[in-house]
Amino acid sequence: ICLICLPFYAIFLQAKDKEVRGTKFVVSGLKEGGLYRFRVRAVNAAGVGAPGEISDALEVKDRTEIPDIELDASVRERIVVHAGGVIRIIAYVSGKPPPQITWHRNDEAVPAEATIEVTAISSALVIKKCQRSHQGIYNLVAKNVGGERRKTIIVDVLGKYYNWVVFALVFYK
């Protein structure tokens, strides 16, 4: 039986009505930042034991998870695009708290033509009508209090892209 002491009070409340089998128990309904003290009573064939020693006060904090980055199945660690095509790098990002996401190309800011599309679970870098100048090493960095993760994607752009203007030449005899 797990007993919980409410913050700033010396009153212990029973956290669970039924027996807990095993050595782990999650107490729900606690407030983040609150200080709580716990003590445990054993229940066995001999009956209910006396409460254990009072623990030091524990501060409740949200669980932290280091960021994780998974590239979309359409993205490889090296992308080859023809000039005039679209560079699209999609990554699924998770972590607790939600990580801050930044993109870089060759350790500098991404090109001005790039747009970053963000959802609750993903981040995508998109460059439409790409040019050879857009090739390079793109880095996605996800960072939170749990740590930092990086993914590197090499982008090669083949050929040259021109905005063609067609002129008609008329020859007279």
Side-chain angles (χ1 to χ4, degrees):
I1 298 172
C2 179
L3 302 174
I4 181 171
C5 180
L6 298 177
F8 307 110
Y9 299 100
I11 301 170
F12 279 87
L13 299 176
Q14 190 165 320
K16 180 132 174 120
D17 292 333
K18 296 181 181 177
E19 293 178 17
V20 176
R21 299 204 181 263
T23 58
K24 295 181 181 180
F25 177 67
V26 176
V27 179
S28 60
L30 304 179
K31 295 187 180 187
E32 188 170 358
L35 296 172
Y36 296 88
R37 299 172 72 193
F38 299 88
R39 61 184 183 176
V40 177
R41 296 191 309 182
V43 178
N44 56 28
V48 178
E53 292 294 317
I54 298 173
S55 67
D56 291 335
L58 300 172
E59 182 179 0
V60 175
K61 296 180 182 176
D62 196 13
R63 180 179 296 168
T64 59
E65 295 175 6
I66 189 167
D68 188 36
I69 303 171
E70 291 291 326
L71 295 176
D72 186 75
S74 65
V75 179
R76 293 175 177 73
E77 293 186 13
R78 181 177 217 111
I79 299 172
V80 178
V81 182
H82 289 281
V86 177
I87 297 171
R88 184 179 315 272
I89 304 170
I90 303 169
Y92 300 101
V93 183
S94 62
K96 280 190 176 186
Q100 180 145 16
I101 299 167
T102 55
W103 289 88
H104 304 282
R105 185 193 61 167
N106 300 332
D107 293 325
E108 296 178 356
V110 294
E113 301 85 9
T115 57
I116 308 296
E117 301 170 354
V118 179
T119 70
I121 62 167
S122 69
S123 180
L125 178 135
V126 179
I127 303 175
K128 296 178 182 176
K129 297 182 182 177
C130 67
Q131 302 173 14
R132 296 261 334 230
S133 62
H134 293 131
Q135 69 184 10
I137 300 172
Y138 286 79
N139 287 299
L140 168 61
V141 180
K143 189 176 191 177
N144 68 10
V145 295
E148 176 180 304
R149 288 274 166 88
R150 298 174 165 264
K151 278 288 185 186
T152 300
I153 302 95
I154 299 169
V155 176
D156 290 321
V157 180
L158 303 177
K160 292 184 179 180
Y161 174 71
Y162 299 102
N163 284 326
W164 291 96
V165 178
V166 178
F167 292 98
L169 296 175
V170 179
F171 293 94
Y172 294 101
K173 268 190 173 182

